[in-house]
Amino acid sequence: MSIEDVRLRDVVEDDLDAFCAYEQDPEAARRSRFAPRPREAFMSHWKERVLGDETCFVQTVTVDGDVAGNIVAWWDGDRRFLGYWLGRAYWGRGIGGRALGIFLERERNRPLHADPFGGNTSSVRLLEKHGFRPAGTVRHGDDEHVLFVLT
């Protein structure tokens, strides 16, 4: 795999099985502090709230044609947020950086916000490398997350 083999494309329904499996990974859940949803709830959320929302911009990340994860931008009130999820097999190989760079060329809304768990140093570094700057903290349950903004 070379970094040039990382691509983004529109999500197709068949991608959801891989996305759901990646969310179920216990290490991913620990790092993100995001509780995995049961399959039915996951599929419902994605079909109705992500793919069913025309204001969401969502892309499948592929590596050599295989589904590696997703990146999505959505509105929360008057703020545009960014989120991403890669399968563990794709961590630490530059794939997230390449995919996020491509996504940010396509998603032109600014400012763009992200709020990773503060202890997820890989995610924090990824955002910083792409120009996101800390703008405070937010709480999700018991966990403190860093609010980042890209202007």
Side-chain angles (χ1 to χ4, degrees):
M1 191 268 334
S2 76
I3 218 62
E4 289 76 34
D5 297 325
V6 176
R7 304 263 189 269
L8 298 185
R9 63 163 169 75
D10 290 340
V11 174
V12 296
E13 195 166 325
D14 287 346
D15 297 339
L16 300 183
D17 287 322
F19 297 171
C20 185
Y22 295 155
E23 184 178 291
Q24 301 302 314
D25 182 320
E27 180 61 13
R30 185 191 70 76
R31 287 185 183 203
S32 67
R33 294 297 201 270
F34 187 85
R37 294 167 281 209
R39 178 178 168 69
E40 187 175 302
F42 178 92
M43 293 298 180
S44 176
H45 172 81
W46 267 84
K47 289 175 182 176
E48 295 168 18
R49 302 219 26 226
V50 180
L51 299 176
D53 181 346
E54 65 186 32
T55 69
C56 284
F57 176 52
V58 60
Q59 297 278 272
T60 295
V61 179
T62 66
V63 177
D64 294 327
D66 296 328
V67 175
N70 63 75
I71 305 180
V72 60
W74 71 95
W75 289 102
D76 184 1
D78 62 347
R79 288 183 171 177
R80 186 80 164 164
F81 273 84
L82 166 86
Y84 42 83
W85 201 283
L86 292 178
R88 191 191 315 197
Y90 301 97
W91 296 355
R93 298 170 42 198
I95 293 165
R98 174 78 173 137
L100 184 55
I102 297 167
F103 188 86
L104 292 173
E105 290 174 5
R106 297 177 184 178
E107 170 60 50
R108 302 304 303 164
N109 285 293
R110 302 292 187 270
L112 191 58
H113 300 79
D115 60 352
F117 171 61
N120 188 344
T121 56
S122 296
S123 191
V124 167
R125 280 195 310 265
L126 177 66
L127 291 165
E128 289 173 339
K129 286 179 184 177
H130 286 277
F132 283 80
R133 296 293 169 246
T137 59
V138 294
R139 292 200 72 77
H140 294 293
D142 294 334
D143 297 310
E144 187 170 87
H145 292 242
V146 181
L147 180 65
F148 281 95
V149 179
L150 177 66
T151 55

